[in-house]
Amino acid sequence: MKQDSEQDRVYADPRNRVDEFVFDQQVARVFTDMIGRSVPGYDSVINLSSVLAAQYVQPDSLCYDLGCSLGATAQALRHGIRVPGCRILAVDNSPAMLEQAVERLPAAADRTPIDFICADIAEMAFDNASLVTLNFTLQFIPLAQRSALLSRIHAGLRPGGILILSEKIRFDDPEEEALQIEMHHAFKRANGYNDLEISQKRSALENVLIPETLKQHRNRLQQAGFRRADLWFQCFNFVSLVARKG
Ligand code: GEK
């Protein structure tokens, strides 16, 4: 089992042309370091997902970790689950990420099983779920597919089930948008990224990671049928919501 991620230097050297960001082998190898140094509050959101699992996962139900990457959320859910008869389905469409996820999964025969599945979450159906996580994943799904995905998640949840939706967001107020980005970049610099790395990564993500406002997320969740959606975490321009099925 591999514990440590290599240090992320993916955008450290100057490039003539910055291609669109992809979750390939190069990214998978450094992903734990990359996301920890890039997403403010990442560790808190992942660790606290286990608290929500302890509170809301129902016996004999499924948990879906959508866009599971290396399985950090799935492992946190497993740590939190207190009830019998559950399975965690950890889904990603990047074979490189899943390969690393399987390699890093600690053996724990006595805990809730985790199945890693290679699939496009925009094409999946959901069933018998009591908890679903979209931790920093919806932002990578094409805008036109987001509503249908949330409706299918809602349909697949049991009564009382929850969706944890964590996202990078943008702000309607241009000054707040600029200030939040300024603080996010300060966070990245404090974690050792230089201005070249920050700007090349930003270009690579430009048409790949499409953030929306909190209001857009709340409206979409409501339209998908969720009874309510409450903000439980924010750090700069990164938030997490808990959406509940009635
Ligand atoms: C964590 N939740 O560490 N279907 C399946 N997976 C997808 C799709 C799709 N259509 N599009 C993107 N992904 C994780 C972090 S990372 C966030 C999530 C980030 C996957 C993609 O391959 C990647 O692994 C993940 O979504 C997004 O708790 O890198 O900022």
Side-chain angles (χ1 to χ4, degrees), residues 165-201:
L165 174 63
S166 310
E167 287 278 287
K168 181 177 189 180
I169 58 166
R170 63 176 187 83
F171 298 83
D172 281 330
D173 172 3
E175 188 174 5
E176 184 171 16
E177 172 74 354
L179 290 170
Q180 294 283 3
I181 289 171
E182 181 176 277
M183 291 188 284
H184 179 216
H185 289 178
F187 170 87
K188 293 186 81 162
R189 276 193 294 275
N191 285 328
Y193 286 117
N194 62 35
D195 290 341
L196 177 71
E197 290 176 292
I198 293 171
S199 83
Q200 292 194 139
K201 174 92 176 280

Side-chain angles (χ1 to χ4, degrees), residues 21 23 31 34-35 39 42 46 65-74 91-94 97 119-122 133-137 139-142 145 209:
F21 187 85
F23 291 97
F31 184 73
M34 174 185 274
I35 197 155
V39 174
Y42 172 78
I46 303 310
D65 175 18
L66 304 179
C68 65
S69 300
L70 304 193
T73 300
V91 186
D92 207 287
N93 67 349
S94 159
M97 293 296 247
D120 180 351
I121 60 170
T133 63
L134 277 168
N135 277 343
F136 311 106
T137 300
Q139 59 199 19
F140 292 103
I141 302 298
Q145 296 176 5
L209 190 170

Side-chain angles (χ1 to χ4, degrees), residues 20-21 23 136-146 165-171 177 202-214 216-217 220 237-238:
E20 281 197 347
F21 187 85
F23 291 97
F136 311 106
T137 300
L138 190 67
Q139 59 199 19
F140 292 103
I141 302 298
L143 280 172
Q145 296 176 5
R146 293 183 188 181
L165 174 63
S166 310
E167 287 278 287
K168 181 177 189 180
I169 58 166
R170 63 176 187 83
F171 298 83
E177 172 74 354
R202 195 166 188 210
S203 306
L205 284 173
E206 181 119 37
N207 299 312
V208 178
L209 190 170
I210 312 290
E212 296 176 281
T213 64
L214 195 50
Q216 287 172 313
H217 285 298
R220 185 183 292 110
N237 45 351
F238 290 79

Side-chain angles (χ1 to χ4, degrees), residues 54-130:
Q55 181 66 26
Y56 295 114
V57 173
Q58 302 173 18
D60 304 309
S61 69
L62 295 175
C63 296
Y64 291 88
D65 175 18
L66 304 179
C68 65
S69 300
L70 304 193
T73 300
Q75 289 192 42
L77 298 180
R78 170 152 85 173
H79 185 71
I81 292 172
R82 300 273 178 275
V83 292
C86 297
R87 282 196 99 77
I88 299 165
L89 306 184
V91 186
D92 207 287
N93 67 349
S94 159
M97 293 296 247
L98 287 175
E99 195 182 309
Q100 295 278 324
V102 170
E103 218 176 291
R104 285 157 196 251
L105 184 68
D110 54 331
R111 308 299 286 261
T112 303
I114 301 177
D115 300 329
F116 286 103
I117 299 168
C118 191
D120 180 351
I121 60 170
E123 304 281 321
M124 276 182 72
F126 306 96
D127 187 33
N128 191 31
S130 61

